[in-house]
Amino acid sequence: MIASLSGTVQMLRLDSAVVEVGGVGYLLHATPATLATLRVGAQASLSTSLVVREDSMTLFAFADDDERSVFEAAQTVSGVGPRLALAMLAVLTPNALRRALASGDLKALTRVPGIGQKGAQRLVLELGDKLGHPVDDEAAGVSGSAARELAGDQRERVSEALVGLGWSTKVADDAITTVLGDLGVDHVAAADVPSILRSSLKVLGGHRG
């Protein structure tokens, strides 16, 4: 099993990256948040999980070992494959997922594309005990001031993620403004960063600016 990779980022796409290690380019599928931390030409170190099928071998990449562990644990639930497990991490951080499972927050779980009410209930039943207990922000390494900052407007985080994927700051900001206007809100809440990022990507439609 390929548990990690360290190398030079050769290419960035909306849902994947190519990292060259020892002259070999590895295609890595990842969440927008993970991809936003990468830069073409820069060095990167990522935790990975190799999913082997009869006709394919697919590598998924993660910012840290905790995300990879959650990704692999999620696939033990009936009906959850690697793509859906990755979508869960695109919407919820590992700790947010733990909190949703521990509290039975079906609304939070159904925010993940592909998970309905029954699927959310199945996750609570089958996955809750496998991920451990959620930790508070302090235990997760977030200071009190940082936690308060995360509770404010997170527009800049979304903008930085889009810029990291190849768009100019102006194009990114215009897309975010469009999404917020459609939603009738004037700021990005911390919990909504993944969904606002996905919606902004849809507005941009893959066209770099």
Side-chain angles (χ1 to χ4, degrees):
M1 175 178 175
I2 302 175
S4 65
L5 284 177
S6 294
T8 304
V9 179
Q10 296 294 313
M11 182 183 300
L12 280 174
R13 301 171 180 168
L14 295 181
D15 60 354
S16 61
V18 174
V19 175
E20 182 179 323
V21 182
V24 178
Y26 291 86
L27 177 63
L28 307 172
H29 297 272
T31 65
T34 295
L35 294 170
T37 66
L38 307 179
R39 297 291 183 272
V40 173
Q43 292 293 303
S45 295
L46 297 163
S47 298
T48 59
S49 179
L50 178 63
V51 177
V52 180
R53 297 286 186 263
E54 290 183 2
D55 58 349
S56 67
M57 291 190 296
T58 307
L59 267 173
F60 294 87
F62 309 92
D64 54 43
D65 291 342
D66 189 30
E67 283 193 350
R68 181 184 61 197
S69 297
V70 170
F71 171 80
E72 293 174 345
Q75 293 176 71
T76 65
V77 178
S78 56
V80 177
R83 297 292 180 179
L84 185 54
L86 192 67
M88 292 167 60
L89 287 169
V91 174
L92 300 167
T93 65
N95 203 45
L97 180 58
R98 290 186 178 98
R99 283 197 295 266
L101 294 171
S103 63
D105 187 351
L106 302 184
K107 183 177 180 181
L109 296 172
T110 54
R111 288 173 53 205
V112 179
I115 295 181
Q117 192 77 4
K118 290 184 178 179
Q121 293 172 340
R122 189 181 305 117
L123 285 171
V124 171
L125 291 173
E126 298 184 25
L127 187 59
D129 294 339
K130 296 180 180 179
L131 299 185
H133 297 292
V135 295
D136 58 26
D137 289 330
E138 295 290 346
V142 179
S143 68
S145 60
R148 287 190 293 272
E149 181 180 345
L150 288 174
D153 191 355
Q154 299 299 300
R155 183 186 182 112
E156 186 174 349
R157 288 178 61 196
V158 180
S159 180
E160 288 177 351
L162 293 172
V163 171
L165 291 174
W167 283 278
S168 68
T169 300
K170 182 181 186 307
V171 170
D173 288 342
D174 287 347
I176 297 168
T177 297
T178 297
V179 171
L180 295 181
D182 290 342
L183 295 174
V185 297
D186 59 2
H187 72 284
V188 180
D192 294 331
V193 167
S195 61
I196 298 297
L197 178 56
R198 285 199 314 274
S199 296
S200 298
L201 289 170
K202 291 179 182 178
V203 169
L204 291 166
H207 301 291
R208 301 297 197 272

